[in-house]
Amino acid sequence: MATQQLESKWEGKSIANLKLPKAEQVWPLLEDFFNFHNWLPNIDTCHQMNSDNKDEIVRYCANTVPPSSSDDGEAIIKWCYEKLLTIDKIERCLSYEVLDNNIGIRSYVSTLKVLSSDGEDEGGCQIEWSFVADPIDGLTLELFSGYVDSSLQGMAENMEKAFESSKLGDFASSN
């Protein structure tokens, strides 16, 4: 009987600081599980999928990668099906896992949290993105953690811009 050495799980955490909006303003943007594509720079589409299990909430997220000059002219669609595991409106956090994908992820569970700033009356908040995953072929933990961090920083930047240039602040503060 052959034995296989089990690889250890990858774990990581990134934090993004938002200067303008408060945690209670940012949370509704993340709480909408099907709204990811509006904030994450590298996601083109995100929508609810029908599930055989009525208790499961599953989303489809995808990104279209344009062909490079060395490709045969075909765009590549990278996709994931993700299941909502938990959502806590009081703690302002949600967790989800990747069910299926075409990008080499075998096991991935992520938690997003929106944290208040230290000062009660000050604006600003933090978004924390943590994950536990099986190693991904062709990547190192450092590369994958860098991808998560740059995705989170891009998300925070998009949210900041939305609050600066629109009435999102009015919408979020009224909820």
Side-chain angles (χ1 to χ4, degrees):
M1 177 186 263
T3 59
Q4 294 181 337
Q5 181 178 351
L6 294 175
E7 296 182 63
S8 63
K9 293 273 190 187
W10 286 355
E11 294 186 38
K13 178 168 55 173
S14 292
I15 294 175
N17 294 300
L18 287 85
K19 295 180 183 107
L20 183 66
K22 294 183 178 184
E24 59 270 13
Q25 294 173 304
V26 170
W27 172 244
L29 307 180
L30 285 178
E31 180 183 30
D32 181 352
F33 192 59
F34 311 111
N35 202 21
F36 228 42
H37 63 294
N38 289 327
W39 310 115
L40 204 57
N42 50 351
I43 299 292
D44 299 334
T45 186
C46 179
H47 57 82
Q48 185 170 3
M49 298 299 298
N50 292 329
S51 174
D52 294 336
N53 182 344
K54 299 285 186 216
D55 295 329
E56 284 187 345
I57 298 173
V58 177
R59 70 181 175 194
Y60 169 82
C61 294
N63 178 38
T64 304
V65 181
S68 68
S69 56
S70 62
D71 287 339
D72 61 3
E74 294 285 322
I76 299 168
I77 298 175
K78 296 182 177 184
W79 55 267
C80 284
Y81 288 101
E82 300 170 339
K83 179 174 82 170
L84 183 65
L85 298 175
T86 62
I87 189 161
D88 185 329
K89 295 174 187 240
I90 304 298
E91 294 295 321
R92 293 189 292 263
C93 69
L94 65 84
S95 295
Y96 66 91
E97 71 176 324
V98 171
L99 298 176
D100 194 11
N101 66 93
N102 71 344
I103 54 178
I105 296 173
R106 291 186 301 261
S107 172
Y108 176 86
V109 175
S110 178
T111 300
L112 290 164
K113 294 180 182 178
V114 181
L115 306 166
S116 296
S117 293
D118 293 334
E120 288 283 325
D121 295 327
E122 295 177 23
C125 64
Q126 291 184 329
I127 302 174
E128 179 184 285
W129 185 336
S130 59
F131 68 87
V132 177
D134 283 345
I136 300 168
D137 292 340
L139 291 178
T140 63
L141 173 57
E142 291 74 24
L143 282 172
F144 188 67
S145 293
Y147 169 78
V148 169
D149 186 62
S150 87
S151 296
L152 176 60
Q153 300 309 320
M155 177 189 289
E157 185 178 314
N158 287 341
M159 289 177 173
E160 283 275 16
K161 286 178 186 173
F163 274 97
E164 289 171 2
S165 66
S166 76
K167 297 180 181 179
L168 265 183
D170 296 335
F171 165 77
S173 62
S174 68
N175 283 345

